DNA sequence: CCAAAGGTTTAGGTAAGTCTAACCTAGAGG
DNA sequence: CCTCTAGGTTAGACTTACCTAAACCTTTGG
């Protein structure tokens, strides 16, 4: 009933609707690399199945059912990523590609077993939150490193999982979720950022910095 | 290049060619539940790809390349079965269905990691041999329980993995690969067989007995 | 109120895998 | 050795699932 292509659309819609609601079909088309016509087509199908509310010229919004399906797939994806990383030592820059394929064929039973084995984890290896079995998800506050001011300390909360080259680089400088960093300085305009991680300085390109989400570190821990 | 459907054909051909060579297209059609026309069609495609030698009206035989592909898929399938069984405690009557889906999407890298984690195992949970990475396979001598005479002792070598109801029953009576049994008696014609397993007697239907492959137990261990 | 940006419709294409129905072939029995 | 039939093949068409290009329609903002 729900094809793999449909699942990919729902995942993309989930991602986009965190920024824009309703999601314009053009944004979807761009994100997925399909023509706008294809996207309109598929959106109508998904609306038929009551997974989306589709208003011509306005874009799409999830129905409750659609949101649940999307979260289920995302749960698959992120649990698989974490499982591969922890149980089979797959490097964190490879788990995304593997999970892309596995998420569509894994059974709920298998997923439950993996979740149990991992102790019902909250986050995947890139810091993205794993939706719970009943479809709730909690995303911690974070901001893109690109918007931060030099001279402050941050913790890495989450990084983009789909650029494996970037992940490999971040790995070499030790920039994982939970890692602390100091934003030393920012070159003007779209220039690179200079970071200090574990005592060593590194440069991070402007584009790369967009993919790193951080939270400010509390330097003093006095409560109010 | 090689689609999932093709992989399924190659698997089926591998199974059948253990009994008949060359494999008649009609046998394949019956085994897979497709029309003879569809099978002829696909066999021609696979021959195009140099995976099969196809002689019209005679049937198909693997090329070396085709055999390697078939063994690779079978290795995927059986390693996955064993992995699910050992690492995630999936019951042995369910692993086949899961493996059917996963075998088509798993990467070589992941497979290697699973194999390593399992210590390069020789057999899957049903006793079927796992082809080695370089495509060699060793199947121990065994005969179907259906052909054995009453009054003798046997070890279970292998059982069919695709009948999950049967597997569940065999599980309840403790009949796994490696288990010893005594064939107490056989009802005439196509009647059930009476077995003694771990001191308890059980009946096994005629059809079920076909799926159980055994080897005779050496009662005396004096060498010649 | 109108233009252009954005979105939709229509019509059409491709690819993979399947089937039906008509036809051919091999080989066994008369 | 010929013929009949079971088995196998061919041709053609269908389905499903997805995609596109190009023409057309709508919305929105100046």
């Amino acid at each position: 009933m729900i094809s793999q292509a449909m699942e990919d659309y729902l995942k993309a819609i989930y991602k986009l609707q965190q920024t824009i609601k309703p999601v314009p079909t053009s944004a979807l088309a761009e994100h997925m690399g399909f023509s706008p016509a294809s996207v309109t087509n598929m959106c109508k199908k998904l609306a038929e199945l009551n997974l989306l509310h589709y208003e011509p010229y306005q874009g799409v919004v999830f129905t409750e059912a659609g949101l649940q399906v999307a979260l289920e797939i995302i749960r698959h994806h992120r649990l698989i990523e974490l499982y591969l990383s922890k149980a089979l030592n797959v490097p964190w820059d490879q788990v995304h590609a593997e999970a892309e394929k596995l998420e569509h064929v894994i059974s709920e039973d298998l997923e439950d077993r993996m979740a149990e084995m991992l102790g019902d984890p909250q986050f995947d290896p890139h810091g993205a939150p794993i939706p719970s079995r009943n479809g709730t998800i909690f995303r911690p506050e974070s901001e893109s490193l690109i918007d931060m001011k030099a001279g402050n300390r941050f913790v890495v909360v989450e990084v983009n999982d789909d650029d494996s080259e970037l992940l490999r680089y971040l790995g070499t400088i030790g920039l994982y979720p939970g890692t602390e960093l100091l934003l030393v300085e920012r070159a003007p305009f779209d220039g690179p950022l200079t970071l200090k991680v574990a005592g060593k300085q590194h440069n991070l390109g402007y584009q790369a910095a967009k993919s790193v989400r951080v939270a400010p570190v509390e330097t003093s821990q006095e409560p109010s």
Side-chain angles (χ1 to χ4, degrees), chain A residues 31-217:
Chain A
H31 185 78
M32 304 193 72
F34 295 147
S35 73
S38 304
V39 172
T40 298
N41 227 359
M42 181 58 94
C43 285
K44 282 160 80 173
K45 275 191 210 166
L46 293 171
E48 273 296 299
L49 294 172
N50 285 311
L51 298 172
L52 297 179
H53 293 298
Y54 168 55
E55 199 68 44
Y57 299 100
Q58 306 305 314
V60 293
V61 176
F62 277 124
T63 60
E64 187 49 36
L67 179 61
Q68 288 309 312
V69 173
L71 287 172
E72 196 176 306
I73 299 157
I74 290 166
R75 176 171 161 83
H76 287 195
H77 182 92
R78 295 186 179 161
L79 266 176
I80 291 168
E81 283 192 346
L82 188 66
Y83 184 85
L84 294 180
S85 166
K86 286 218 173 173
L88 288 165
N89 297 313
V90 179
W92 83 327
D93 58 297
Q94 284 177 35
V95 293
H96 177 71
E98 301 279 0
E100 279 297 286
K101 296 178 297 175
L102 291 169
E103 67 187 5
H104 299 294
V105 300
I106 207 158
S107 73
E108 291 299 307
D109 179 69
L110 217 52
E111 184 189 83
D112 287 347
R113 289 176 192 276
M114 289 187 341
E116 196 191 335
M117 196 117 309
L118 295 166
D120 287 311
Q122 305 283 318
F123 301 98
D124 80 5
H126 314 99
I130 299 175
S132 74
R133 185 131 168 59
N134 55 31
T136 58
I137 186 169
F138 169 69
R139 180 178 293 270
E141 287 291 320
S142 71
E143 293 167 284
S144 176
L145 187 57
I146 206 78
D147 299 323
M148 300 301 100
K149 291 224 178 78
N152 294 303
R153 303 194 61 79
F154 303 96
V155 218
V156 177
V157 173
E158 182 178 347
V159 298
N160 235 1
D161 71 343
D162 57 9
D163 180 342
S164 100
E165 204 186 330
L166 171 60
L167 288 175
R168 234 171 300 130
Y169 176 64
L170 295 180
T172 62
I173 68 176
L175 215 57
Y176 299 104
T179 304
E180 272 199 28
L181 64 87
L182 171 66
L183 182 46
V184 179
E185 75 171 300
R186 304 193 43 159
F189 307 111
D190 298 352
L193 290 66
T194 307
L195 315 175
K196 197 177 232 173
V197 183
K200 294 192 69 172
Q201 286 210 169
H202 303 280
N203 285 318
L204 195 62
Y206 185 82
Q207 289 303 319
K210 275 193 190 169
S211 310
V212 178
R213 298 190 65 84
V214 297
V217 164

